[in-house]
Amino acid sequence: MPQLNGTAAMPGPPKASNASSLPQGVLAPLPRDEIDTVPAKAYPTVLQQHLNNVRKFNDCVVLTRVGDFYEMYFDQVKQYAPLVNLKVAKRATVLGDVPMAGFQHTQLDRYLKMFVQDLGKQVAISEQVRLPDSERSSKAGAPMYDRKVTRVVTAGTLIDESFMDPYENNYLLAVHLEGALPAHSAHDGRSEAYERYKRTTKVGLSWVDLSSGDFYTQSSDLASLPSLAARVGPREVVLDSTMESAGQAQLQKLLGEGGYSLHYHQTTQTASSVAEWTPMLERAVPDKDQDNFTAPEIAAGSLVLDYIRNKLIDQQIQLQPPVRRSDDEYMSIDKQSLRGLEIRSTLRDGTFQGSVLHAVRHTVTKSGARLLSQRLVSPSMSLSVINNRLDLVQEMVGQDAFCEDVVALLRRTSDTLRLLQRFSIGKGDADDLLSLAKTVDVMGRLSEVLHDHIVAHQDGVVEQEEDVDLEPPELGFLWDILGRLDLQGPARVSKSIQHAIDEDGLDRRHVAEAEDQAEAEEMTDEVVSADTAGEKGPRLAKRASKTKVTTAESGPEEIWVMRRNASPTLERAHADLEKLLDLKRELARRLREQLKAESLMLKWGAQLGHYCHIKGRDAQGILSALEGARSIGSTKSTRTFYLADWTHLGVRIDDSKLRIRTEEERVFGKLRGQVVENLMKLRRNAAVLDELDVACSSATIAKERNLVRPILSEDTSHRIVGGRHPTVDAGLKAQGRVFTANDCAVGDQEKIYLITGPNMAGKSTYLRQNALITILAQTGCFVPADYAVIGLVDKIFSRVGSADNLYQDQSTFMVEMLEAAEILKQATPRSFVIMDEVGRGTTPEDGVAVGYACLHHLHHINKSRTLFATHFHALADMTRDFDALACYCTDVAEAGDGSWAYVHKLRRGVNRESHALKVARLAGLPESAMAVAAEVLADLQKERRRSAGHHSASLTALEYGPVLAVAAG
């Protein structure tokens, strides 16, 4: 029996008196079984870190940095690797094989484009962050890196990615809806209650371009949301997470079927005032302006800023102060008109080439192109703003040498706004600094050119070109531009940058980086090729290590980005390094003499450190006489050894180089800080360059295509002489053909033009060209006409080129009617309306009724300037009593030999022949079919003449006007 309390056990049962000596309380646990002490199986650290990030960012593709690669693992490999053409491999673990796929870190932008832009995914980038010594385990094989997501990349939060469109803004749009969404059943209907709901429900919008720092807000209503969203053209739309339950289909419908990339966000920081946005702005919004922002705008702005903070994680960003937009400042171009008039892209295939923007854009800078695009979709409603823009264009048109000087200087500038945004978030490299410095120098030269031109003009030295009839304007607008160029601070920054950065060294670094990248890609291709062929992969580790070994006597060529005199500390550090390199050369010379070995070289390698190397016959020499030498390897033709003198000297050289690199980083940080200090001035200066670029672009187009300056007024006139369609005119000119110009004087006594004529005779072109001339005029561009006087237009409406929308259960005619309904509800006496073939998607009788109802409403209720093209010739008879409506037509000229040609010139009158069979023959219909069509047409025309005066084809307004007027009401 065991001893208790040190007393020997006695034979027989224990005595009761010994019970108090027994152990009391809970017994100690039994020792763990051997099977329990075996550690649980787990994934390698990097895989577990990746898996943790996948669980945390479950709506993202997670890319984890591992060495020089970004990699995916587990289920996302099977899901996404085939979509971006990544080869799938396996990684063996104690828990089984794990699918993996990856690509070199230099290819990140390429794959981000595929994931984010092409597939519409969000990508969480997990970088490897070296753990500080205090957090690292002392155990062998303990992880050296933590892998944490540093940024989530989405379509709307791009900053400086190479695949961004440099000619268009990259907007992220936040939409805040005041109140709840309507029930789905109510939404499906088009009741008056729902229409009233749309027009009374307030909506706040806020959109941001992180690449340039632009920040806008606007308050509107739900009915206007589709057109506003189309005008902004966002890459991504963010909504409050409470709206997710409504479903993608309903939300896309509310936004206007734009196919937007929609994401939801739960706001963590709800702002109650604009002042709370200040930490993310380059400067605070003045107190006097803060009260102008409405509650929906503040909610939308807070949503977009919180979403950005959530995606950029630890990065700081500096946006420009928010600019409030309002409907009163800009002409409203609804979604259908942006599409139908082909402002940014063509209607047929959605391409940029063939659009109005393509026809009028001759900018030489990327940011100037973005400004022109913004202006084109948001023409101004301010006469002073428009005339200032036109004054600048006119000056460029009249002064060729001045315009050419400005363009030549602008070509030498960089995309300053996007460069500055890189610096505002703590990015930006030496190339960006140098590009910015050179742009600032160009700003200074532009300032001189502007000043010299103004002075020369005032002194009467410069005269207007002989072919310009307009009187030279006063140059107050040029003084204004010159006054907005603030160069004092930026010039000092530019001087500091160019004094500090060694441009030649920067070029050498680029060459070296390109060579390294080419070598890395070559090795990667070899591995992939070998794997595909089922062969053993090449041994690349040895080859890669060789690239790290110095082969030149002077050591590896260190490429310094900063000039030696960039700072006193840097100058001293370089001087110290030169002395040490001289000592190295002297040591090498002495050793060669002592060993009689001319091939001796002092080297450094990543594996061996500092060592000496001899090759050829010299390798047969004896090292015993060399104090401090220790052989580390030899062959028949080489000998490698350590030498204490070289080891000590090499360490001193390495330390000296480290001091130089540290000081270069300090100088670079100081320069970047100076740029950020001058951020506001540089952004304002960049905006001036963009304005000059747009003006020069308009002037160049004006001279090439014989455009004229429009005259804008406050009335509702529209008098165009010799008007042309901007894109059709340019296309015909390129083919050596001439566009048939036409006049238009709608808006005075004649508010409506009812236009008839043959198919293909130019009715649709005529409608569109007058709308586009109006848009260009209020954009501040010269227009394709011989003369143009235009009263300000508040809204452009276009009902042309409809197509069905089967997904939303809408036929072509239904889409047409929806568009017509919006026009009749929203058009004002200051609006400009073009309507083409209203009612063509139904029976002739119904089509005539709908067409008449639209004309009646436009004439008596809207009183807008309207161009209305139709093949329903009866409408001309039915509207004879409309005192503000006039009939015009195009025609076909037929020769005696049977040939014919279109007459695109507009004339007064009604053309009751559509000549559709001529178009059918041009399209290539078989002659047998054409013969049948001609026969049927002849019979129908006979029947119509026989029943004239008795049937609906010849109804007059006196007979049926009141009935249709009631229907229209």
Side-chain angles (χ1 to χ4, degrees), residues 464-481:
Q464 290 285 74
E465 296 291 325
E466 293 180 1
D467 58 345
V468 177
D469 297 330
L470 294 170
E471 290 295 322
E474 295 298 323
L475 297 186
F477 59 94
L478 282 182
W479 280 119
D480 174 65
I481 289 175

Side-chain angles (χ1 to χ4, degrees), residues 69 168 180 209 215 235 290 354 382 387 390 403 445 470 517 524 586 643 722 909:
F69 287 80
E168 288 289 345
D209 184 347
F215 183 12
R235 305 294 181 187
Q290 291 185 13
S382 167
N387 284 322
L390 292 172
C403 184
R445 180 67 191 124
L470 294 170
Q517 183 172 339
T524 302
E586 176 59 26
L643 185 66

